[in-house]
């Protein structure tokens, strides 16, 4: 268990929860390793994987152009170099106005105080398994 890894993730999630994704973006990019991986859940239509800070920055900005959402982090669970953030997103499509809510998990891998991977999983049980925790 690494309190330092939790603190790296908490710096991002606390700002995201309180001020939104736009405010958290510079904190995330500052904490990210230059070769960071961004992995979206393949169960989500249109998902993809991205690598390196510039690609991650671009995909985040693209998503912010199409979606308004709020995040609430419900729990942070850490094992070794991974921290699973159990989150709830409430969002609205900017063009469509469609609204939705989603409970999911974000598994952050942190090595030497740098975020090396951000993996989104719609299935929270899968996320808990990824950090070696039972449901």
């Amino acid at each position: 268990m690494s309190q330092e890894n939790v603190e790296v993730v908490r710096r991002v999630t606390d700002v995201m929860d309180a001020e939104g994704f736009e405010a958290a973006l510079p904190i995330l990019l500052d904490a990210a390793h230059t070769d960071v991986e961004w992995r979206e859940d393949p169960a989500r239509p249109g998902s993809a994987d991205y690598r390196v800070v510039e690609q991650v920055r671009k995909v985040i900005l693209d998503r912010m152009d199409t979606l308004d959402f709020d995040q609430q982090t419900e729990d942070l669970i850490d094992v070794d170099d991974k921290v699973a953030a159990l989150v709830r997103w409430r969002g609205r499509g900017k063009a469509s106005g469609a609204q939705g809510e989603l409970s999911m998990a974000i598994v952050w891998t942190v090595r030497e105080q740098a975020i090396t991977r951000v993996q989104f999983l719609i299935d929270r049980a899968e996320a808990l398994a990824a950090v070696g925790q039972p449901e």
Side-chain angles (χ1 to χ4, degrees):
M1 211 179 282
S2 170
Q3 188 61 33
E4 293 85 13
N5 291 347
V6 171
E7 290 309 314
V8 169
V9 172
R10 189 181 310 280
R11 280 194 301 271
V12 177
T13 59
D14 282 356
V15 173
M16 194 176 301
D17 291 355
E19 301 175 45
F21 215 110
E22 188 170 352
L25 180 59
I27 296 163
L28 168 63
L29 295 178
D30 185 55
H33 186 277
T34 56
D35 198 31
V36 65
E37 293 178 67
W38 179 273
R39 303 188 63 152
E40 298 174 335
D41 192 318
R44 188 185 67 77
S47 68
D49 294 342
Y50 304 90
R51 189 167 199 131
V52 303
V53 170
E54 185 54 34
Q55 285 185 359
V56 170
R57 185 187 70 75
K58 184 178 180 334
V59 73
I60 292 170
L61 291 173
D62 288 347
R63 299 285 158 73
M64 287 174 21
D65 281 346
T66 60
L67 181 66
D68 283 325
F69 75 93
D70 295 315
Q71 174 178 295
Q72 181 60 48
T73 302
E74 298 172 342
D75 199 5
L76 295 176
I77 301 163
D78 74 305
V79 175
D80 298 326
D81 65 349
K82 292 182 176 42
V83 178
L86 304 181
V87 301
R88 181 173 310 277
W89 283 358
R90 290 180 184 91
R92 180 185 62 79
K94 287 185 177 180
S96 68
Q99 296 183 15
E101 184 173 312
L102 177 64
S103 291
M104 59 179 287
I106 306 168
V107 177
W108 307 77
T109 303
V110 181
R111 294 192 180 112
E112 297 177 10
Q113 301 223 341
I115 298 167
T116 59
R117 177 186 282 179
V118 182
Q119 182 177 10
F120 295 84
L121 296 164
I122 294 171
D123 183 342
R124 285 183 169 192
E126 188 178 344
L128 291 173
V131 296
Q133 294 292 305
E135 278 186 72

